[in-house]
């Protein structure tokens, strides 16, 4: 009769145990394939690792690997700063573009279905190994767009035009950079467009109708309805974009980290580099989140 | 009656209506041209690869040739097909991607359901950990993971460590436990979806005598089909495209990404074979331009199955994206 009693527990208790059962796969995976490797990786970064016949042996060396990465490695520091700066320059472009593209796709126009299919193509094409191959491909380098490279023609005209507006130098450079990286930005924003578009479609149309009745212009209802309601998604996309560009296949620093394993410095130095990198990613993410989340509007 | 006749005759109204129509036309013209421009940039790499892969090398230097090759040839595809060992590689990759993505869909649905519908101690913490797995770059874990799978013994539980490198098991094990490629995102998607569902469905199932798992399997899971479809597509595409785990755990297994990156070296070694058999009399040159042509062909062969799949499923995909509530 004991077992009968066990089965007759309250629904709340049953659901609590059920909940644990449902998340069990992840708990196992997290411990085996995430937490344990994480701890190991920290230990590796503080040790010298040597492969033996039946496994590997560790000898503790303190912060030697970190010292190697920062002081003795020829290119690590330069690559690190370059990668972080590149990300900081790319992320706003990707966010602005994907918001813009989502608004475009949310309008009614001829061929919208086809346009959506094309706009989500980067999700399929712009990931992984293809992106990696394109970096060193002669044909891909031929179709690259670089307005600053051509002094005459449109590029030259653009520079003179922006100069004539008396914009500050760094802003002109950023605009030129933005144009030069149009293809990259577009190929990196498939998912973000999707998230924004799903968000735009979830805005109740009654809000726009009410605003329309009250005599709001299109611009006003965009600023006062669309934008505030989308702002939580800006955070989602911000985090996604930062993580994506820091862990993506087109990231050269990650190649460096991977190559270091097989070079003389070995596993320890590679782990030290990876952790340094992750620490910086974490700091960048925390700062941007803190700045942006203050300006986010939540409906509830 | 008077109203309608006025509508047709008043020149003021006619002008106003014309203006509205003009404005609408200008608006849609601007919209369509912007969309077309962006679409062009998205499709450009695909088209340029397609056209390059149909060229002979001389066409690449020909200033008159931009898109349509002067000497149309399928020779590059024949070569690449051989270098990639396409049929076998295709089958291997298909099986791996299918297996991994189905396991990922299953595990992420389970975990997402657990996180989204059950209040238990540590739910919030666990969700934060899910997000953490998404943020930590896999490169941080690369070495320990490699060693763990090279000498796989689950904390010493197995008497003799097994070597799982160059088998599909590392990827399958990680997919099964929701820690595979970007699985944090999939858990997030399914959690958001289950969270937004009405409780009445579950209660009705309980009243009818279904257990917790039965309720999940027979009632909640069918309702979650759109979220599961999005997850499956993402999982499949990312697994197919993945270079990181493929080269780390399965470098000698014949998989698509490995075959694609090996085209160049296989071409070079096949040339060397020709040179060895023909003696020194034959002159063979390897140019990076020709390698690019071969690579372009390879990339087209690589993405073709994905494009086909996308073409067939895009309708369901768009609907699903709209219904999943990715947004929360």
């Amino acid at each position: 009769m004991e077992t009968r009693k066990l089965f007759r527990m309250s629904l709340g208790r049953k659901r609590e145990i059920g909940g644990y059962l449902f998340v069990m796969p992840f708990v196992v995976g997290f411990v085996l394939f995430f937490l344990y490797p994480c701890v190991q990786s920290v230990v590796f970064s503080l040790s010298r690792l040597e492969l033996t016949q039946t496994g590997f042996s560790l000898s503790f060396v303190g912060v030697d690997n970190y010292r190697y990465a920062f002081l003795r490695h020829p290119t690590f520091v330069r690559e690190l700063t370059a990668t972080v700066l590149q990300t900081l320059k790319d992320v706003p472009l990707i966010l602005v573009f994907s918001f813009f593209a989502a608004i475009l796709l949310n309008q009614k126009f001829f061929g919208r279905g086809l346009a959506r299919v094309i706009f989500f193509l980067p999700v399929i094409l712009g990931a992984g190994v293809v992106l990696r191959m394109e970096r060193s491909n002669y044909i891909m380098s031929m179709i690259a767009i670089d307005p600053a490279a051509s002094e005459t023609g449109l590029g030259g005209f653009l520079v003179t035009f922006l100069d004539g507006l008396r914009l500050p130098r760094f802003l002109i450079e950023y605009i030129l950079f933005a144009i030069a990286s149009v293809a990259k930005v577009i190929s990196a924003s498939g998912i973000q467009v999707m998230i924004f578009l799903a968000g735009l479609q979830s805005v109740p149309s009654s809000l726009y109708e009410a605003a329309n009745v009250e005599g709001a212009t299109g611009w006003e209802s965009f600023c006062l309805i669309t934008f505030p309601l989308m702002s939580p998604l800006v955070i989602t996309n911000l985090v996604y974009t930062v993580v994506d560009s820091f862990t993506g296949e087109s990231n050269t620093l990650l190649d460096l980290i991977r190559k270091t394993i097989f070079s003389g410095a070995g596993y320890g130095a590679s782990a030290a580099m990876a952790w340094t990198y992750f620490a910086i990613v974490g700091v960048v993410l925390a700062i941007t989140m803190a700045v942006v989340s203050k300006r986010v509007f939540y409906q509830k | 009656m008077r109203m309608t006749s006025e509508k047709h005759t008043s020149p003021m109204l006619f002008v106003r209506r014309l203006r509205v129509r003009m404005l609408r036309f200008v608006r849609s013209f601007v919209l369509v041209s912007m969309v077309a421009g962006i679409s062009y940039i998205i499709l450009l790499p695909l088209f340029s690869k397609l056209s390059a892969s149909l060229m002979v090398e001389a066409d690449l230097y020909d200033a008159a040739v931009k898109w349509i090759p002067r000497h149309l040839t399928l020779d590059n595809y024949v070569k690449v097909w051989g270098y990639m060992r396409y049929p076998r590689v295709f089958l291997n990759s298909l099986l791996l991607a299918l297996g991994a993505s189905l396991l990922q869909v299953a595990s992420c649905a389970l975990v997402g359901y657990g996180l989204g519908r059950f209040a238990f101690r540590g739910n919030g913490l666990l969700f934060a950990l899910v997000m953490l797995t998404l943020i930590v770059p896999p490169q941080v874990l690369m070495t320990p993971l490699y060693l763990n799978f090279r000498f796989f013994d689950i904390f010493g539980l197995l008497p003799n460590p097994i070597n799982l490198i160059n088998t599909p098991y590392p990827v399958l094990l990680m997919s099964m436990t929701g820690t595979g490629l970007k699985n944090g995102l999939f858990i997030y998607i399914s959690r958001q979806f289950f969270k937004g569902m009405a409780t009445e469905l579950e209660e009705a199932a309980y009243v009818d005598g279904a257990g917790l798992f039965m309720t999940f399997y027979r009632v909640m899971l069918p309702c979650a089909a759109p979220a599961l479809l999005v997850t499956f597509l993402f999982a499949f595409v990312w697994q197919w495209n993945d270079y990181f785990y493929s080269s780390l755990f399965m470098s000698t297994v014949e998989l698509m990404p490995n075959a694609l990156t090996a085209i160049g070296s296989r071409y070079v070694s096949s040339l060397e074979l020709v040179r060895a058999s023909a003696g020194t009399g034959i002159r063979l040159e390897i140019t990076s331009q020709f390698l690019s042509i071969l690579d372009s062909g390879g990339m087209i062969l690589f993405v073709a199955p994905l494009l086909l799949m996308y073409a067939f499923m895009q309708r369901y995909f768009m609907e699903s994206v709209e219904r999943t509530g990715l947004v929360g």
Side-chain angles (χ1 to χ4, degrees):
Chain A
M1 285 301 110
E2 269 296 288
T3 48
R4 287 290 291 273
K5 221 176 217 169
L6 198 74
F7 279 116
R8 230 183 281 148
M9 48 193 170
S10 73
L11 186 63
R13 180 99 190 91
K14 215 167 155 185
R15 281 183 59 92
E16 196 175 340
I17 293 177
Y20 283 122
L21 284 180
F22 275 113
V23 297
M24 221 8 121
F26 177 74
V27 175
V28 172
F30 182 79
V31 172
L32 272 181
F33 306 128
F34 190 84
L35 190 63
Y36 180 55
C38 256
V39 174
Q40 269 186 314
S41 174
V42 175
V43 173
F44 287 175
S45 76
L46 299 170
S47 327
R48 165 166 281 286
L49 185 145
E50 261 149 38
L51 284 180
T52 60
Q53 209 67 54
T54 54
F56 50 88
S57 69
L58 293 170
S59 51
F60 186 75
V61 293
V63 292
D64 236 29
N65 288 318
Y66 290 91
R67 208 174 291 153
Y68 168 81
F70 276 101
L71 300 180
R72 292 207 303 276
H73 194 276
T75 55
F76 176 67
V77 177
R78 204 180 338 135
E79 286 264 0
L80 184 66
T81 43
T83 307
V84 173
L85 282 180
Q86 185 70 34
T87 304
L88 291 182
K89 275 156 91 184
D90 283 348
V91 167
L93 291 181
I94 292 174
L95 284 182
V96 169
F97 171 75
S98 50
F99 194 59
F100 174 73
I103 289 172
L104 273 187
L105 288 183
N106 201 31
Q107 311 289 320
K108 283 201 173 62
F109 57 88
F110 177 71
R112 180 166 77 154
L114 182 67
R116 285 192 185 180
V117 172
I118 293 172
F119 272 54
F120 295 145
L121 265 184
V123 179
I124 291 177
L125 303 178
V129 67
V130 171
L131 218 62
R132 194 185 174 78
M133 302 273 293
E134 281 179 0
R135 249 193 290 156
S136 58
N137 197 305
Y138 172 76
I139 290 145
M140 299 319 290
S141 67
M142 287 205 312
I143 60 168
I145 308 159
D146 191 359
S150 63
E151 279 302 316
T152 55
L154 194 64
F157 168 74
L158 193 70
V159 173
T160 3
F161 175 71
L162 292 174
D163 219 27
L165 287 178
R166 299 191 185 277
L167 290 175
R169 184 86 207 147
F170 74 92
L171 206 61
I172 295 179
E173 269 167 21
Y174 191 67
I175 291 173
L176 289 178
F177 166 78
I179 296 170
S181 45
V182 154
K184 204 180 73 179
V185 165
I186 290 178
S187 76
S189 44
I191 302 247
Q192 290 88 328
V193 173
M194 217 169 81
I195 292 177
F196 275 136
L197 185 61
L200 285 174
Q201 282 170 346
S202 73
V203 177
S205 56
S206 58
L207 283 179
Y208 292 115
E209 281 156 20
N212 201 15
V213 168
E214 299 287 344
T217 61
W219 175 246
E220 277 166 344
S221 52
F222 173 78
C223 286
L224 299 171
I225 299 173
T226 313
F227 200 71
L229 284 179
M230 285 301 105
S231 60
L233 291 186
V234 174
I235 292 243
T236 314
N237 271 342
L238 178 76
V239 174
Y240 185 84
T241 311
V242 171
V243 170
D244 197 45
S245 70
F246 272 129
T247 60
E249 209 58 65
S250 55
N251 189 325
T252 50
L253 185 68
L254 295 178
D255 280 346
L256 180 77
I257 291 174
R258 188 203 294 246
K259 264 184 221 139
T260 309
I261 294 186
F262 306 108
S263 74
Y267 293 94
S270 164
M273 285 177 180
W275 277 111
T276 312
Y277 182 48
F278 177 57
I280 290 172
V281 174
V283 170
V284 169
L285 209 56
I287 292 173
T288 43
M289 286 272 285
V291 171
V292 175
S293 60
K294 269 190 189 154
R295 289 168 176 74
V296 165
F297 168 82
Y298 286 104
Q299 212 173 0
K300 286 153 205 162
Chain B
M1 208 49 212
R2 231 185 68 203
M3 287 285 286
T4 49
S5 66
E6 214 174 52
K7 235 182 213 168
H8 283 295
T9 48
S10 159
M12 281 288 283
L13 266 175
F14 178 74
V15 168
R16 188 181 291 169
R17 207 171 303 148
L18 195 71
R19 222 185 113 220
V20 167
R21 202 167 286 171
M22 283 286 283
L23 269 177
R24 200 175 291 157
F25 176 76
V26 169
R27 184 175 157 278
S28 65
F29 180 77
V30 171
L31 260 174
V32 170
S33 54
M34 276 196 289
V35 169
I38 296 170
S39 303
Y40 171 74
I41 294 176
I42 293 174
L43 292 175
L44 183 64
L46 198 63
F47 284 153
S48 64
K49 264 177 276 190
L50 188 65
S51 94
S53 66
L54 295 169
M55 287 178 186
V56 301
E57 195 184 346
D59 285 355
L60 211 55
Y61 310 122
D62 193 335
V65 173
K66 177 75 183 165
W67 290 105
I68 301 158
R70 189 175 300 233
H71 310 277
L72 205 65
T73 173
L74 281 175
D75 198 37
N76 303 318
Y77 280 105
V78 175
K79 280 204 176 85
V80 168
W81 186 278
Y83 295 142
M84 284 176 85
R85 298 174 198 139
Y86 197 78
R88 200 164 81 211
V89 165
F90 174 79
L91 200 66
N92 282 348
S93 258
L94 184 71
L95 287 179
L96 180 75
L98 267 183
S101 50
L102 287 178
L103 284 173
Q104 285 176 15
V105 169
S107 64
C108 294
L110 279 174
V111 176
Y113 183 61
L115 286 174
R117 301 299 295 197
F118 293 90
F120 54 88
R121 198 172 296 163
N123 188 319
L125 176 73
L126 209 61
F127 184 60
L129 293 181
V130 169
M131 292 291 102
L132 187 69
T133 59
L134 199 58
I135 293 173
V136 174
Q139 282 76 7
V140 172
L141 307 175
M142 157 170 84
T143 315
L145 273 180
Y146 180 86
L147 290 172
N148 284 346
F149 286 122
R150 173 68 186 79
F151 308 102
F152 189 70
D153 59 357
I154 323 179
F155 302 127
L157 283 177
L158 302 177
N160 286 318
I162 326 169
N163 181 3
L164 292 184
I165 294 300
N166 288 328
T167 68
Y169 295 111
V171 168
L172 293 183
L173 279 172
M174 291 175 79
S175 305
M176 216 183 286
T177 55
T179 44
L181 217 57
K182 300 213 191 192
N183 279 12
L185 184 68
F186 304 154
I187 295 177
Y188 175 79
I189 291 177
S190 71
R191 171 190 181 264
Q192 296 302 91
F193 189 83
F194 283 122
K195 221 179 162 163
M197 274 168 77
T199 50
E200 282 83 358
L201 275 174
E202 262 177 335
E203 281 158 7
Y206 291 151
V207 168
D208 285 345
L212 287 180
F213 187 77
M214 216 24 141
T215 309
F216 168 71
Y217 185 67
R218 300 289 287 273
V219 178
M220 302 303 268
L221 209 54
C223 293
L228 297 182
L229 184 74
V230 170
T231 313
F232 172 76
L233 263 178
F234 279 157
F236 187 88
V237 166
W238 277 326
Q239 191 62 51
W240 184 273
N241 274 324
D242 165 61
Y243 178 70
F244 182 73
Y245 285 137
S246 307
S247 62
L248 186 65
F249 297 142
M250 291 170 283
S251 54
T252 64
V253 180
E254 303 255 2
L255 288 176
M256 274 287 183
N258 299 339
L260 186 58
T261 46
I263 289 176
S265 63
R266 282 183 190 159
Y267 168 63
V268 172
S269 60
S270 80
L271 279 192
E272 266 155 15
L273 218 65
V274 171
R275 198 194 319 245
S277 63
T280 47
I282 194 161
R283 193 166 141 272
L284 293 168
E285 269 179 39
I286 299 159
T287 60
S288 69
Q289 282 81 354
F290 187 64
L291 281 181
S292 298
I293 290 183
L294 285 183
D295 278 348
S296 301
M299 284 191 263
I300 293 291
L301 286 181
F302 178 86
V303 298
L306 292 182
L307 288 178
L308 264 179
M309 189 180 79
Y310 183 59
F312 277 116
M313 294 178 87
Q314 54 86 13
R315 209 162 58 91
Y316 307 103
F317 182 65
M318 296 300 159
E319 274 173 24
S320 300
V321 166
E322 282 164 19
R323 284 175 53 198
T324 3
L326 269 175
V327 184

